[in-house]
Amino acid sequence: MSRKESSWKYADDVVVDRPGVVAARAHSIELGVRAVSPAIGSQLAVIAAATGATSIVEVGTGVGVSALYFLDGSPEATITSIDTEAEHQQIARAALLEAGAAPNRIRLITGKAADVLPRLNDDAYDLVLLDADPASIIDYVEHALRIVRSGGVVLIPHALWEDRVADPASRGDVESDFRMLAGEMAASAVVVSAVSPAGDGLLQVVKRPPAQ
């Protein structure tokens, strides 16, 4: 194992997950649902806490792993979570309620993100997590930057896509889209962005306030 691989493993291993996250991650593995790594999850919690997020949207409910991390960082936040799998969402709801989330702060929408995101209000959310359907990630980011407030954050996990994004010889559509997205965000004057190499990568995008 290289030093970088050891560091990545350490970043995961140093995280002490709450029992609810441990149980939800076990459910994810059983169901074959991709969940964020502990290192990425801990970053979600830190960003939620640092921004004081009270309104969060996530595309890709899974069985609640990401939402539990958000709740850890911002216990009073309202989470709107979109997924096509109603059964998975019910598992997520149970996990969030068990972790202490108020029922009226959990809004689960069963449907396609492409149908739901256009209906969400502009500049209305503090944080948006995009963790579903990587083939549609470019469209999702456009919607996310519309609905997130100025100073709000859009988070895209799996941004290194199994270490293929950094390999120029890997030319699949998903890798190409993630490369293009990271490049466009880095060059944009309307956002500030950074890619964390922890886990499978986390692209972090902050929406700048409009120019005066």
Side-chain angles (χ1 to χ4, degrees):
M1 184 180 292
S2 70
R3 287 186 177 179
K4 282 188 177 180
E5 289 171 329
S6 295
S7 293
W8 290 330
K9 184 177 185 303
Y10 172 78
D12 276 332
D13 291 346
V14 76
V15 177
V16 179
D17 281 330
R18 296 181 185 272
V21 174
V22 173
R25 191 178 298 285
H27 273 126
S28 290
I29 294 169
E30 290 171 8
L31 295 169
V33 177
R34 183 193 291 261
V36 296
S37 70
I40 295 298
S42 64
Q43 289 187 50
L44 302 186
V46 166
I47 293 167
T51 58
T54 60
S55 55
I56 298 171
V57 171
E58 58 173 15
V59 176
T61 308
V63 294
V65 173
S66 296
L68 286 166
Y69 281 115
F70 280 135
L71 211 76
D72 191 33
S74 189
E76 300 303 314
T78 296
I79 298 177
T80 299
S81 191
I82 306 163
D83 204 295
T84 58
E85 296 288 343
E87 183 179 345
H88 293 173
Q89 287 187 318
Q90 293 313 306
I91 297 172
R93 180 186 295 277
L96 290 166
L97 293 174
E98 179 68 22
N104 64 344
R105 295 185 183 276
I106 306 169
R107 181 187 181 204
L108 301 181
I109 302 175
T110 305
K112 295 180 179 179
D115 298 329
V116 177
L117 287 172
R119 303 202 301 264
L120 300 184
N121 292 333
D122 294 4
D123 304 310
Y125 300 93
D126 300 313
L127 276 176
V128 180
L129 176 75
L130 304 175
D131 190 14
D133 190 13
S136 301
I137 195 64
I138 303 297
D139 290 339
Y140 292 169
V141 169
E142 290 179 3
H143 284 297
L145 289 174
R146 174 184 60 80
I147 67 175
V148 77
R149 65 169 173 78
S150 295
V153 186
V154 178
L155 301 170
I156 303 101
H158 313 298
L160 297 179
W161 199 247
E162 300 171 353
D163 293 326
R164 297 177 188 172
V165 171
D167 180 2
S170 189
R171 299 179 181 178
D173 290 343
V174 172
E175 299 95 294
S176 297
D177 284 350
F178 273 123
R179 284 190 204 105
M180 181 171 68
L181 178 60
E184 288 183 353
M185 293 299 100
S188 174
V190 299
V191 301
V192 181
S193 68
V195 178
S196 165
D200 197 23
L202 180 67
L203 176 59
Q204 305 162 67
V205 182
V206 179
K207 182 177 177 180
R208 292 182 188 271
Q212 299 298 321

